[in-house]
Amino acid sequence: MKLYDGGKIIVGLAVFLAFALFPFYNNIGKVNAKPEPKTDTPVIQEWEKQYGKKECVESKEFMRMEHMQLLNNWRDSVVRETYRQYVSTSNGKKFNMSLQTGCMNCHSNKKKFCDECHNYMAVVPYCWDCHIQPKEKEENKS
Amino acid sequence: MSMDRRQFLKIAGISSILGFGATAVSSAKSPVFETLAPPQVEPGKDALIAKRWAMVVDMSKFKTEEDIKKVVDACHHTHNVPDFRNPDGTADTKFEIKWIWKEPYERAFPGAENTYMGEHLKDMPFVVLCNHCENPPCVRVCPTKATFKLTNGITMQDMHRCIGCRFCMAACPYGSRSFNWVDPRKTLKPEFENKDYPTRTKGVVEKCTFCSERLQAGKIPACVEAAPKGAMFFGDIEDQNSEVRKIVTTQLTIRRRPELGTGPAVYYIIGGSEHA
């Protein structure tokens, strides 16, 4: 078997592989920082003091998996059915169904709470095109 | 392996049945896809509840332009409605968003003017807003059910579902709907921003919601709150003891273009008595 223009082909292949594999060898040894959403806002700490533990509208595991679906259901309840209060199935407490004045009232750290995972997973929810995000103090510091 | 047409169709058929069957089983299991219903959700504890919300506007109580402006501003600030201005400070009507606004008699009640009516009467200002029709044409034409009737009579809209087709704008005979041609946030000054209410985004249609969110929190609409004493009333027209019902029963009221059969829920009095 004879390889015509072998030199060029091999050089070409080497260059191609160098480009194509760049993302892989560039990241060898670097561990991607795992997202660590923070729940240490003043309101949540106040809650922890009052009730002895941190708790959300549902269990942590449920919220991790299903918060998007829960938010969709909340939206339908508020806009289409005019219900405003959500009765938690995990702790029986009542919560105001509202992204801006409910969720973000406790989780006022959008950057360290929402964006931390969303950026890691490269998901871009369009919540904040309309809903007004909380003003964060870190913005001024950095 | 060679396969003839008959065999291929058999295998394809069987595998698609298996495939569909599997998705049907797995989606049926997840409880979060069910809509929330009481007792898991409930109205707010102060929520105002009615069978059919309605409004009465007495234009004679609006003494000055300032009174009208106050009402419009109260609404527009509450709902983060943008205010587009030309460089010289006049209102830029090209991208205008209106929830509640001023309209001369002639245009608010077309067909109701007389030949010899004086200019001052034709130009008499009226405060107009979405009529929250009994039979709203905008709801009928909406292809995504983004606009719909609530059980309390409010013609509501879900901005998340709006695709910006503007059928509703073409259908509404009152011009109550506005399209966001540009990002409304660009013109919103931070001091006019209500942090408790969202803005809209480019490409959706919006209008008055009879302050659905305020009713849920036990407050009357922002315009009624800001109006001069006795100029605007809000209540349940199905409730015999409500103020709006009493006014509509005892006084001559007019509605905008009732001949169209839309059944507006905003009633106007022209020159009402001291207590309306």
Side-chain angles (χ1 to χ4, degrees), chain A residues 88-131:
Chain A
S88 168
T89 56
S90 66
N91 56 28
K93 292 197 176 73
K94 288 176 186 177
F95 293 92
N96 181 22
M97 288 191 277
S98 165
L99 179 64
Q100 248 170 267
T101 60
C103 303
M104 304 318 277
N105 184 36
C106 289
H107 299 285
S108 51
N109 53 344
K110 173 180 169 280
K111 281 199 186 122
K112 287 305 276 178
F113 186 70
C114 305
D115 298 348
E116 187 80 3
C117 291
H118 290 166
N119 288 345
Y120 182 76
M121 301 298 287
V123 290
V124 189
Y126 50 75
C127 312
W128 313 108
D129 286 2
C130 294
H131 292 277

CSV table of all heavy atoms in Angstrom, one decimal, chain A residues 88-131:
chain,number,residue,atom,x,y,z
A,88,SER,N,-47.1,23.8,52.1
A,88,SER,CA,-46.1,22.9,51.9
A,88,SER,C,-46.5,21.4,52.2
A,88,SER,O,-47.2,21.2,53.3
A,88,SER,CB,-44.9,23.3,52.7
A,88,SER,OG,-43.9,22.2,52.7
A,89,THR,N,-46.1,20.5,51.4
A,89,THR,CA,-46.4,19.1,51.8
A,89,THR,C,-45.4,18.5,52.7
A,89,THR,O,-45.6,17.5,53.3
A,89,THR,CB,-46.5,18.2,50.5
A,89,THR,OG1,-45.2,18.3,49.8
A,89,THR,CG2,-47.6,18.6,49.6
A,90,SER,N,-44.3,19.2,52.9
A,90,SER,CA,-43.2,18.7,53.7
A,90,SER,C,-43.3,19.2,55.1
A,90,SER,O,-43.0,18.5,56.1
A,90,SER,CB,-41.8,18.9,53.1
A,90,SER,OG,-41.5,20.3,53.1
A,91,ASN,N,-43.7,20.5,55.3
A,91,ASN,CA,-43.7,21.0,56.7
A,91,ASN,C,-45.0,21.8,57.0
A,91,ASN,O,-45.2,22.3,58.1
A,91,ASN,CB,-42.5,22.0,56.9
A,91,ASN,CG,-42.4,23.1,55.9
A,91,ASN,OD1,-43.5,23.5,55.4
A,91,ASN,ND2,-41.3,23.6,55.7
A,92,GLY,N,-46.0,21.8,56.1
A,92,GLY,CA,-47.3,22.3,56.4
A,92,GLY,C,-47.4,23.9,56.5
A,92,GLY,O,-48.4,24.4,56.7
A,93,LYS,N,-46.2,24.5,56.3
A,93,LYS,CA,-46.2,26.0,56.4
A,93,LYS,C,-46.8,26.6,55.1
A,93,LYS,O,-46.8,25.9,54.1
A,93,LYS,CB,-44.8,26.5,56.6
A,93,LYS,CG,-44.2,26.1,58.0
A,93,LYS,CD,-43.0,27.0,58.3
A,93,LYS,CE,-42.5,26.7,59.6
A,93,LYS,NZ,-41.7,25.4,59.8
A,94,LYS,N,-47.3,27.8,55.2
A,94,LYS,CA,-47.8,28.5,54.1
A,94,LYS,C,-46.9,29.5,53.5
A,94,LYS,O,-46.2,30.2,54.2
A,94,LYS,CB,-49.1,29.2,54.4
A,94,LYS,CG,-50.2,28.2,54.7
A,94,LYS,CD,-51.5,28.9,55.2
A,94,LYS,CE,-52.5,27.8,55.6
A,94,LYS,NZ,-53.7,28.4,56.1
A,95,PHE,N,-46.8,29.4,52.1
A,95,PHE,CA,-45.8,30.3,51.5
A,95,PHE,C,-46.5,31.1,50.4
A,95,PHE,O,-47.5,30.6,49.7
A,95,PHE,CB,-44.7,29.5,50.8
A,95,PHE,CG,-43.8,28.8,51.8
A,95,PHE,CD1,-44.1,27.5,52.2
A,95,PHE,CD2,-42.7,29.4,52.3
A,95,PHE,CE1,-43.3,26.9,53.2
A,95,PHE,CE2,-41.9,28.8,53.2
A,95,PHE,CZ,-42.2,27.5,53.7
A,96,ASN,N,-46.1,32.3,50.2
A,96,ASN,CA,-46.6,33.2,49.2
A,96,ASN,C,-46.0,32.8,47.8
A,96,ASN,O,-44.8,32.8,47.7
A,96,ASN,CB,-46.2,34.6,49.5
A,96,ASN,CG,-46.7,35.6,48.5
A,96,ASN,OD1,-47.6,35.4,47.8
A,96,ASN,ND2,-46.0,36.8,48.4
A,97,MET,N,-46.9,32.4,46.9
A,97,MET,CA,-46.3,31.9,45.6
A,97,MET,C,-46.0,33.1,44.8
A,97,MET,O,-46.8,33.7,44.2
A,97,MET,CB,-47.4,31.1,44.9
A,97,MET,CG,-47.6,29.7,45.5
A,97,MET,SD,-48.6,28.7,44.5
A,97,MET,CE,-50.3,29.3,44.9
A,98,SER,N,-44.7,33.4,44.7
A,98,SER,CA,-44.2,34.5,44.0
A,98,SER,C,-42.7,34.4,43.8
A,98,SER,O,-42.0,34.1,44.8
A,98,SER,CB,-44.6,35.8,44.7
A,98,SER,OG,-43.8,36.9,44.1
A,99,LEU,N,-42.2,34.5,42.6
A,99,LEU,CA,-40.8,34.4,42.4
A,99,LEU,C,-40.1,35.6,43.0
A,99,LEU,O,-39.2,35.5,43.8
A,99,LEU,CB,-40.5,34.3,40.9
A,99,LEU,CG,-39.0,34.2,40.5
A,99,LEU,CD1,-38.4,32.9,41.0
A,99,LEU,CD2,-38.9,34.3,39.0
A,100,GLN,N,-40.6,36.8,42.6
A,100,GLN,CA,-39.9,38.1,43.0
A,100,GLN,C,-40.1,38.3,44.5
A,100,GLN,O,-39.1,38.7,45.1
A,100,GLN,CB,-40.6,39.2,42.3
A,100,GLN,CG,-39.6,39.8,41.3
A,100,GLN,CD,-40.4,40.8,40.4
A,100,GLN,OE1,-40.9,40.5,39.3
A,100,GLN,NE2,-40.5,42.0,40.8
A,101,THR,N,-41.3,38.1,45.0
A,101,THR,CA,-41.5,38.5,46.4
A,101,THR,C,-41.5,37.3,47.4
A,101,THR,O,-41.5,37.4,48.6
A,101,THR,CB,-42.8,39.3,46.6
A,101,THR,OG1,-43.9,38.5,46.2
A,101,THR,CG2,-42.7,40.6,45.8
A,102,GLY,N,-41.5,36.1,46.8
A,102,GLY,CA,-41.5,34.9,47.6
A,102,GLY,C,-40.1,34.3,47.6
A,102,GLY,O,-39.3,34.5,48.6
A,103,CYS,N,-39.8,33.6,46.5
A,103,CYS,CA,-38.5,32.9,46.5
A,103,CYS,C,-37.3,33.8,46.8
A,103,CYS,O,-36.5,33.5,47.6
A,103,CYS,CB,-38.3,32.3,45.1
A,103,CYS,SG,-39.5,31.2,44.5
A,104,MET,N,-37.3,35.0,46.0
A,104,MET,CA,-36.1,35.8,46.1
A,104,MET,C,-36.1,36.6,47.4
A,104,MET,O,-35.1,37.3,47.7
A,104,MET,CB,-36.1,36.7,44.9
A,104,MET,CG,-36.1,36.0,43.6
A,104,MET,SD,-35.1,34.6,43.5
A,104,MET,CE,-33.5,35.3,43.1
A,105,ASN,N,-37.2,36.6,48.2
A,105,ASN,CA,-37.2,37.3,49.4
A,105,ASN,C,-36.2,36.5,50.4
A,105,ASN,O,-35.3,37.2,51.0
A,105,ASN,CB,-38.6,37.2,50.0
A,105,ASN,CG,-38.6,38.0,51.3
A,105,ASN,OD1,-38.0,39.0,51.5
A,105,ASN,ND2,-39.4,37.5,52.3
A,106,CYS,N,-36.2,35.2,50.4
A,106,CYS,CA,-35.2,34.4,51.1
A,106,CYS,C,-33.9,34.3,50.4
A,106,CYS,O,-32.9,34.7,50.8
A,106,CYS,CB,-35.7,33.0,51.4
A,106,CYS,SG,-37.0,33.0,52.6
A,107,HIS,N,-34.0,33.9,49.1
A,107,HIS,CA,-32.8,33.6,48.3
A,107,HIS,C,-32.4,34.9,47.6
A,107,HIS,O,-32.5,35.0,46.4
A,107,HIS,CB,-33.1,32.5,47.3
A,107,HIS,CG,-33.4,31.2,48.0
A,107,HIS,ND1,-32.5,30.4,48.6
A,107,HIS,CD2,-34.6,30.5,48.1
A,107,HIS,CE1,-33.1,29.3,49.1
A,107,HIS,NE2,-34.3,29.4,48.8
A,108,SER,N,-32.0,35.9,48.4
A,108,SER,CA,-31.7,37.2,47.8
A,108,SER,C,-30.4,37.2,47.1
A,108,SER,O,-29.9,38.2,46.6
A,108,SER,CB,-31.8,38.3,48.8
A,108,SER,OG,-31.0,37.9,50.0
A,109,ASN,N,-29.7,36.0,47.2
A,109,ASN,CA,-28.4,35.9,46.5
A,109,ASN,C,-28.5,35.2,45.2
A,109,ASN,O,-28.0,34.0,45.1
A,109,ASN,CB,-27.4,35.2,47.5
A,109,ASN,CG,-28.0,33.8,47.9
A,109,ASN,OD1,-29.2,33.6,47.8
A,109,ASN,ND2,-27.1,33.0,48.4
A,110,LYS,N,-29.1,35.8,44.2
A,110,LYS,CA,-29.3,35.2,42.9
A,110,LYS,C,-28.0,34.6,42.4
A,110,LYS,O,-28.0,33.5,41.9
A,110,LYS,CB,-29.9,36.1,42.0
A,110,LYS,CG,-30.0,35.6,40.6
A,110,LYS,CD,-30.7,36.6,39.6
A,110,LYS,CE,-30.5,36.2,38.2
A,110,LYS,NZ,-29.2,36.5,37.6
A,111,LYS,N,-26.9,35.4,42.5
A,111,LYS,CA,-25.7,34.9,41.9
A,111,LYS,C,-25.2,33.6,42.5
A,111,LYS,O,-24.7,32.8,41.7
A,111,LYS,CB,-24.6,36.0,42.0
A,111,LYS,CG,-24.8,37.1,41.0
A,111,LYS,CD,-23.5,37.9,40.8
A,111,LYS,CE,-23.8,39.1,39.9
A,111,LYS,NZ,-23.6,40.4,40.6
A,112,LYS,N,-25.2,33.6,43.8
A,112,LYS,CA,-24.7,32.4,44.4
A,112,LYS,C,-25.7,31.3,44.6
A,112,LYS,O,-25.4,30.2,45.0
A,112,LYS,CB,-24.1,32.7,45.8
A,112,LYS,CG,-22.8,33.5,45.8
A,112,LYS,CD,-21.7,32.8,45.0
A,112,LYS,CE,-21.0,31.8,45.8
A,112,LYS,NZ,-19.9,31.1,44.9
A,113,PHE,N,-27.0,31.6,44.3
A,113,PHE,CA,-28.0,30.6,44.4
A,113,PHE,C,-28.5,30.1,43.1
A,113,PHE,O,-28.3,28.9,42.8
A,113,PHE,CB,-29.2,31.1,45.3
A,113,PHE,CG,-30.2,30.1,45.6
A,113,PHE,CD1,-29.9,29.1,46.5
A,113,PHE,CD2,-31.4,30.1,44.9
A,113,PHE,CE1,-30.9,28.1,46.7
A,113,PHE,CE2,-32.4,29.1,45.2
A,113,PHE,CZ,-32.1,28.1,46.1
A,114,CYS,N,-29.0,30.9,42.2
A,114,CYS,CA,-29.5,30.5,40.9
A,114,CYS,C,-28.3,30.3,40.0
A,114,CYS,O,-28.2,29.2,39.4
A,114,CYS,CB,-30.4,31.6,40.3
A,114,CYS,SG,-31.8,32.1,41.4
A,115,ASP,N,-27.6,31.3,39.8
A,115,ASP,CA,-26.6,31.3,38.7
A,115,ASP,C,-25.5,30.2,38.9
A,115,ASP,O,-25.0,29.7,37.9
A,115,ASP,CB,-25.9,32.7,38.5
A,115,ASP,CG,-26.9,33.7,38.2
A,115,ASP,OD1,-28.0,33.3,37.8
A,115,ASP,OD2,-26.6,34.9,38.3
A,116,GLU,N,-25.2,29.9,40.2
A,116,GLU,CA,-24.2,29.0,40.5
A,116,GLU,C,-24.4,27.7,39.7
A,116,GLU,O,-23.5,27.2,39.0
A,116,GLU,CB,-24.2,28.7,42.0
A,116,GLU,CG,-23.0,27.8,42.5
A,116,GLU,CD,-21.7,28.6,42.7
A,116,GLU,OE1,-21.7,29.8,42.5
A,116,GLU,OE2,-20.7,28.0,43.0
A,117,CYS,N,-25.5,27.1,39.8
A,117,CYS,CA,-25.8,25.8,39.1
A,117,CYS,C,-26.2,26.1,37.6
A,117,CYS,O,-25.8,25.3,36.7
A,117,CYS,CB,-27.0,25.1,39.7
A,117,CYS,SG,-26.6,24.4,41.3
A,118,HIS,N,-27.0,27.1,37.4
A,118,HIS,CA,-27.4,27.3,36.0
A,118,HIS,C,-26.2,27.6,35.1
A,118,HIS,O,-26.2,27.0,33.9
A,118,HIS,CB,-28.4,28.5,35.9
A,118,HIS,CG,-29.7,28.2,36.6
A,118,HIS,ND1,-30.6,29.2,36.9
A,118,HIS,CD2,-30.3,27.1,37.0
A,118,HIS,CE1,-31.7,28.7,37.4
A,118,HIS,NE2,-31.5,27.4,37.5
A,119,ASN,N,-25.2,28.3,35.5
A,119,ASN,CA,-24.1,28.5,34.7
A,119,ASN,C,-23.3,27.2,34.5
A,119,ASN,O,-22.8,26.9,33.4
A,119,ASN,CB,-23.1,29.5,35.4
A,119,ASN,CG,-23.7,30.9,35.3
A,119,ASN,OD1,-24.6,31.2,34.5
A,119,ASN,ND2,-23.2,31.8,36.1
A,120,TYR,N,-23.2,26.4,35.6
A,120,TYR,CA,-22.5,25.2,35.5
A,120,TYR,C,-23.1,24.2,34.5
A,120,TYR,O,-22.5,23.6,33.7
A,120,TYR,CB,-22.4,24.5,36.9
A,120,TYR,CG,-21.7,23.2,36.9
A,120,TYR,CD1,-20.3,23.2,37.0
A,120,TYR,CD2,-22.4,22.0,37.0
A,120,TYR,CE1,-19.6,22.0,37.0
A,120,TYR,CE2,-21.7,20.8,37.1
A,120,TYR,CZ,-20.3,20.8,37.1
A,120,TYR,OH,-19.6,19.6,37.1
A,121,MET,N,-24.4,24.2,34.5
A,121,MET,CA,-25.2,23.3,33.6
A,121,MET,C,-25.5,24.0,32.3
A,121,MET,O,-26.1,23.4,31.4
A,121,MET,CB,-26.5,23.0,34.2
A,121,MET,CG,-26.5,22.3,35.6
A,121,MET,SD,-25.6,20.7,35.4
A,121,MET,CE,-26.9,19.7,34.6
A,122,ALA,N,-25.0,25.2,32.1
A,122,ALA,CA,-25.3,26.0,30.9
A,122,ALA,C,-26.8,26.0,30.5
A,122,ALA,O,-27.1,25.9,29.4
A,122,ALA,CB,-24.5,25.4,29.7
A,123,VAL,N,-27.6,26.2,31.5
A,123,VAL,CA,-29.0,26.5,31.2
A,123,VAL,C,-29.3,28.0,31.4
A,123,VAL,O,-28.7,28.6,32.3
A,123,VAL,CB,-30.0,25.7,32.1
A,123,VAL,CG1,-29.9,24.2,31.7
A,123,VAL,CG2,-29.7,25.9,33.6
A,124,VAL,N,-30.1,28.5,30.5
A,124,VAL,CA,-30.4,30.0,30.6
A,124,VAL,C,-31.9,30.2,30.7
A,124,VAL,O,-32.5,30.4,29.7
A,124,VAL,CB,-29.8,30.7,29.3
A,124,VAL,CG1,-29.9,32.2,29.5
A,124,VAL,CG2,-28.4,30.3,29.0
A,125,PRO,N,-32.4,30.1,31.9
A,125,PRO,CA,-33.8,30.3,32.0
A,125,PRO,C,-34.1,31.8,31.8
A,125,PRO,O,-33.3,32.7,32.1
A,125,PRO,CB,-34.2,29.9,33.5
A,125,PRO,CG,-32.9,29.8,34.2
A,125,PRO,CD,-31.8,29.8,33.2
A,126,TYR,N,-35.3,32.2,31.3
A,126,TYR,CA,-35.5,33.6,30.9
A,126,TYR,C,-36.3,34.3,32.0
A,126,TYR,O,-37.0,35.3,31.7
A,126,TYR,CB,-36.2,33.7,29.5
A,126,TYR,CG,-37.4,32.8,29.3
A,126,TYR,CD1,-38.6,33.1,29.9
A,126,TYR,CD2,-37.3,31.7,28.5
A,126,TYR,CE1,-39.7,32.3,29.7
A,126,TYR,CE2,-38.4,30.8,28.3
A,126,TYR,CZ,-39.6,31.2,28.9
A,126,TYR,OH,-40.7,30.4,28.7
A,127,CYS,N,-36.3,33.8,33.2
A,127,CYS,CA,-37.1,34.4,34.3
A,127,CYS,C,-36.8,35.9,34.4
A,127,CYS,O,-37.8,36.7,34.5
A,127,CYS,CB,-36.6,33.8,35.7
A,127,CYS,SG,-36.6,32.0,35.7
A,128,TRP,N,-35.5,36.3,34.3
A,128,TRP,CA,-35.2,37.7,34.6
A,128,TRP,C,-35.3,38.6,33.5
A,128,TRP,O,-35.0,39.8,33.6
A,128,TRP,CB,-33.8,37.7,35.2
A,128,TRP,CG,-33.6,36.6,36.2
A,128,TRP,CD1,-32.9,35.5,36.1
A,128,TRP,CD2,-34.3,36.6,37.5
A,128,TRP,NE1,-33.1,34.7,37.2
A,128,TRP,CE2,-33.9,35.3,38.1
A,128,TRP,CE3,-35.1,37.4,38.2
A,128,TRP,CZ2,-34.4,34.9,39.4
A,128,TRP,CZ3,-35.6,37.0,39.4
A,128,TRP,CH2,-35.2,35.8,40.0
A,129,ASP,N,-35.8,38.1,32.3
A,129,ASP,CA,-36.2,39.1,31.3
A,129,ASP,C,-37.4,39.9,31.7
A,129,ASP,O,-37.5,41.1,31.3
A,129,ASP,CB,-36.7,38.3,30.0
A,129,ASP,CG,-35.5,37.6,29.3
A,129,ASP,OD1,-34.4,37.8,29.8
A,129,ASP,OD2,-35.7,37.0,28.3
A,130,CYS,N,-38.2,39.4,32.6
A,130,CYS,CA,-39.4,40.1,33.1
A,130,CYS,C,-39.3,40.3,34.6
A,130,CYS,O,-39.5,41.4,35.1
A,130,CYS,CB,-40.7,39.4,32.7
A,130,CYS,SG,-41.0,39.3,31.0
A,131,HIS,N,-39.1,39.3,35.3
A,131,HIS,CA,-39.1,39.4,36.8
A,131,HIS,C,-37.8,40.2,37.2
A,131,HIS,O,-36.7,40.0,36.6
A,131,HIS,CB,-39.1,38.0,37.4
A,131,HIS,CG,-40.4,37.3,37.3
A,131,HIS,ND1,-41.4,37.5,38.0
A,131,HIS,CD2,-40.7,36.4,36.3
A,131,HIS,CE1,-42.4,36.8,37.6
A,131,HIS,NE2,-42.1,36.1,36.6
